[in-house]
Amino acid sequence: MSTSSTGVLVLLGAPLGNPEDASPRVASELVRADVIAAEDTRRLQRLLRELGVSTSAAITSYFEGNESGRTEPLIEQLYDGKRVAVITDGGMPSVSDPGYRLVRAAIDAGFTVTAAPGASAVTTALALSGLPCDRFCFEGFAPRKDGERRRLFASLAEERRTMVFFESPRRVADVLRAMAAAFGGERSAALCRELTKTHEEIRRGGLGELAAGAESDPPRGEITLVVEGWGGPDPEDATPEALAAAVARLEAAGTDRKAAMKEVASRFGVPRREVYDSLIDRD
């Protein structure tokens, strides 16, 4: 048990599925903690059994639905000098999981915040995708509403970095169709499901192919999507139709027309007048 007069917040990287991926430090921090805030207390108890450890810590639930209300009581525990551990169902707290509010509040209050790193669905899927890993961006879950989702994908259509998304199996077919419409059906991608678990599966192919596969053979479980970044246009691709479509995507994402025209001219390496003419021809 902690005897420090100053509390410490510890973020624990939980295994994605295979308990053997939990580090020895994660196990020792679970034993050492005075308080454990768990996204699912039942899964925490199962993990403790799988790791063969027990804890005398006070265990409290800390999930999306009660995160705002539970943050202040946990901060009070830090003021009392307690060592507070946060663990989610898998991966690192705060990364599309509960934890950010508590981390921010603890930092603002001047407490030490540290982590016992663990498995990451983002980097695991990225490495398994076969797509470039040198530069990537994590976009989390796409918006549920169709219009917001289309605007997001339009704004990312010319993102050069490999993109990583989380998605629900119930929405993944719709999301892949929207991606294919925004990025092109031939854009390479990987659908990674149930990482490190018994039924782990990696589907690789074009977005159009993956969308069709998700409709005919719906994937189950937790899903991470990895999408190839935009490779940039070939000079021969600067057709009036392509220029006008690029402007339209930027406008759909909220960029005003003048700025969009400037951006497209720069990307395609053509005079701005050529972009303007493409819009006149379209209108």
Side-chain angles (χ1 to χ4, degrees), residues 160-239:
R160 293 182 179 274
R161 296 170 293 181
T162 299
M163 296 168 281
V164 184
F165 301 82
F166 287 162
E167 198 43 72
S168 157
R170 297 188 303 275
R171 296 190 299 269
V172 69
D174 290 339
V175 166
L176 285 168
R177 281 197 302 270
M179 285 180 171
F183 304 154
E186 298 303 312
R187 180 84 70 94
S188 295
L191 186 158
C192 308
R193 75 175 190 93
E194 294 294 89
L195 290 171
T196 79
K197 300 176 185 178
T198 302
H199 300 292
E200 176 179 288
E201 178 187 17
I202 314 296
R203 302 182 186 183
R204 303 178 182 88
L207 284 168
E209 176 187 353
L210 291 178
E215 291 178 344
S216 62
D217 181 18
R220 297 179 180 179
E222 297 180 340
I223 294 172
T224 305
L225 297 174
V226 185
V227 182
E228 182 182 33
W230 184 62
D234 186 285
E236 295 181 359
D237 293 335
T239 63

Side-chain angles (χ1 to χ4, degrees), residues 26-235:
V26 166
S28 67
E29 288 288 353
L30 288 169
V31 174
R32 186 182 179 190
D34 298 303
V35 179
I36 301 175
E39 184 175 13
D40 186 327
T41 58
R42 290 170 299 181
R43 291 187 68 163
L44 169 63
Q45 294 291 355
R46 185 168 70 241
L47 178 62
L48 290 169
R49 291 194 298 271
E50 291 167 337
L51 296 179
V53 300
S54 61
T55 181
S56 58
I59 297 174
T60 185
S61 65
Y62 192 69
F63 57 93
E64 184 180 0
N66 70 6
E67 188 176 2
S68 58
R70 293 285 171 88
T71 294
E72 187 57 37
L74 290 170
I75 292 296
E76 291 299 323
Q77 297 279 6
L78 294 174
Y79 276 114
D80 289 340
K82 301 296 179 60
R83 191 173 189 87
V84 178
V86 183
I87 189 165
T88 62
D89 292 347
M92 183 62 68
S94 296
V95 182
S96 284
D97 271 331
Y100 171 76
R101 288 185 179 90
L102 183 56
V103 169
R104 187 67 261 167
I107 291 171
D108 290 344
F111 292 108
T112 297
V113 179
T114 188
S120 166
V122 175
T123 54
T124 300
L126 184 67
L128 293 175
S129 70
L131 297 172
C133 301
D134 53 338
R135 298 180 69 234
F136 70 93
C137 59
F138 174 57
E139 293 294 331
F141 286 91
R144 294 186 180 189
K145 293 183 178 179
D146 182 63
E148 294 177 5
R149 189 163 56 210
R150 283 190 286 104
R151 284 191 290 274
L152 172 65
F153 293 158
S155 72
L156 293 173
E158 292 166 4
E159 169 60 62
R160 293 182 179 274
R161 296 170 293 181
T162 299
M163 296 168 281
V164 184
F165 301 82
F166 287 162
E167 198 43 72
S168 157
R170 297 188 303 275
R171 296 190 299 269
V172 69
D174 290 339
V175 166
L176 285 168
R177 281 197 302 270
M179 285 180 171
F183 304 154
E186 298 303 312
R187 180 84 70 94
S188 295
L191 186 158
C192 308
R193 75 175 190 93
E194 294 294 89
L195 290 171
T196 79
K197 300 176 185 178
T198 302
H199 300 292
E200 176 179 288
E201 178 187 17
I202 314 296
R203 302 182 186 183
R204 303 178 182 88
L207 284 168
E209 176 187 353
L210 291 178
E215 291 178 344
S216 62
D217 181 18
R220 297 179 180 179
E222 297 180 340
I223 294 172
T224 305
L225 297 174
V226 185
V227 182
E228 182 182 33
W230 184 62
D234 186 285

